[in-house]
Amino acid sequence: MSVRRRATPATTTHHFACIACGKCCYGWLPLTLADALTQAGRFPLAMVWTPVPQTSRAFDLTAQLGTTVQLAKRKRVAVLIAPTAYLPPSFPCPALSAENRCVIHAEKPLRCRSMPFYPYRRAADQADMLVPRTGWVCDTSVSAPVVYQNRGIVDRTDFDRERAALLAQAPILRAYADTTLQHYPAVMSRLQQAAQNPATGRFVVGFWSFLRQHRSEDLVTFAKAQHPVLIEFADRTAGLPTLAEYHRYYQDAAAELVWFAQRA
């Protein structure tokens, strides 16, 4: 899961160890395209669009991993388009067992393998990723391994694998974004609204909108895997006012897949 940014002391060495508490296995999970398609039978999928202003230090990397869009009044933003396991913050990952263990550890998504680091951010800007969020019990004591030193990740293997996958898929997502913004004015309107509030500005678009354009995937196979997941989550969120937005998304997304899911 992505981790919110926090201020940290200006130290050069950071220790970290996961104790498998499962606290980070709740809510949204950004995925690579490959992981999203592989896990279509487990996660309810969506595309999350996040505009980043030119004044942000994340602008250049976001443009590299996503796209750039010219808005009104010469305002230019970078836009990250992230395939995402779209889970309410109170919902655990479907792969988290009652004992807080990952039941798909051997095949878990790259995002989970890279934790606590976040490849949507520069390697030199990762220090606050090592500060546990409220309620998390990650081991950051001096007895834990040194994982970050002098603004560098000690073992970059998983970080680099995820970053490479994100860079490889960027042209595909860029083409998807360009076509969507050209032909669907409502998405451009939502992007402009989101860009007005960079701190919270992001919005969700159906994952099916991507597959309608990217026809290299077997739509029937995908629909047969994803449709029952969406129905399950629609049932789990039914009648819960605080999760009404999620419930509507699951219902609408499931409705788009019905025809393909029913194919022989």
Side-chain angles (χ1 to χ4, degrees), residues 28-84:
W28 294 13
L29 176 66
L31 301 165
T32 64
L33 276 173
D35 281 334
L37 294 169
T38 297
Q39 301 292 345
R42 178 172 284 112
F43 301 138
L45 300 173
M47 300 296 271
V48 177
W49 293 51
T50 305
V52 174
Q54 278 187 285
T55 53
S56 170
R57 64 189 302 161
F59 179 87
D60 290 340
L61 180 57
T62 302
Q64 197 177 4
L65 299 178
T67 190
T68 57
V69 178
Q70 194 78 32
L71 300 179
K73 299 180 180 179
R74 299 183 179 179
K75 185 176 183 178
R76 185 165 171 255
V77 296
V79 185
L80 184 66
I81 304 102
T84 300

Side-chain angles (χ1 to χ4, degrees), residues 111 114-119 126 129-130 147-148 153 159 162:
R111 177 81 294 271
S114 299
M115 283 288 285
F117 299 114
Y118 193 55
Q126 299 286 327
M129 297 290 97
L130 301 168
V147 296
Y148 194 69
I153 300 171
F159 179 89
E162 188 177 9

Side-chain angles (χ1 to χ4, degrees), residues 7-162:
T8 56
T11 57
T12 58
T13 299
H14 299 264
H15 301 256
F16 186 92
C18 173
I19 66 166
C21 70
K23 299 292 186 180
C24 67
C25 302
Y26 281 74
W28 294 13
L29 176 66
L31 301 165
T32 64
L33 276 173
D35 281 334
L37 294 169
T38 297
Q39 301 292 345
R42 178 172 284 112
F43 301 138
L45 300 173
M47 300 296 271
V48 177
W49 293 51
T50 305
V52 174
Q54 278 187 285
T55 53
S56 170
R57 64 189 302 161
F59 179 87
D60 290 340
L61 180 57
T62 302
Q64 197 177 4
L65 299 178
T67 190
T68 57
V69 178
Q70 194 78 32
L71 300 179
K73 299 180 180 179
R74 299 183 179 179
K75 185 176 183 178
R76 185 165 171 255
V77 296
V79 185
L80 184 66
I81 304 102
T84 300
Y86 187 55
L87 304 167
S90 59
F91 278 37
C93 172
L96 187 67
S97 74
E99 294 75 32
N100 290 328
R101 294 294 186 270
C102 178
V103 299
I104 57 168
H105 184 75
E107 56 191 36
K108 65 184 179 183
L110 290 176
R111 177 81 294 271
C112 305
R113 297 179 185 278
S114 299
M115 283 288 285
F117 299 114
Y118 193 55
Y120 295 95
R121 186 188 291 189
R122 298 183 309 172
D125 296 331
Q126 299 286 327
D128 56 351
M129 297 290 97
L130 301 168
V131 179
R133 287 168 57 173
T134 302
W136 292 16
V137 288
C138 318
D139 183 3
T140 57
S141 69
V142 293
S143 62
V146 173
V147 296
Y148 194 69
Q149 195 164 34
N150 299 324
R151 302 183 69 191
I153 300 171
V154 174
D155 182 355
R156 293 180 55 112
T157 304
D158 291 328
F159 179 89
D160 286 342
R161 283 183 62 201
E162 188 177 9

Side-chain angles (χ1 to χ4, degrees), residues 175-189:
Y176 156 70
D178 291 346
T179 301
T180 299
L181 293 172
Q182 180 181 356
H183 295 288
Y184 298 92
V187 178
M188 175 61 85
S189 178

Side-chain angles (χ1 to χ4, degrees), residues 190-257:
R190 295 179 71 185
L191 178 60
Q192 291 175 346
Q193 291 176 7
Q196 293 175 8
N197 191 349
T200 60
R202 57 185 179 182
F203 61 95
V204 175
V205 175
F207 191 83
W208 189 245
S209 67
F210 167 76
L211 287 184
R212 280 200 305 262
Q213 297 179 35
H214 191 61
R215 293 300 183 92
S216 64
E217 300 300 326
D218 184 337
L219 301 183
V220 172
T221 298
F222 172 83
K224 285 183 177 296
Q226 178 71 170
H227 185 262
V229 176
L230 293 167
I231 294 297
E232 175 192 348
F233 278 84
D235 290 342
R236 291 176 60 185
T237 53
L240 301 175
T242 58
L243 299 181
E245 184 176 347
Y246 287 91
H247 179 68
R248 283 193 298 271
Y249 175 84
Y250 300 141
Q251 282 192 314
D252 293 345
E256 290 187 304
L257 298 183

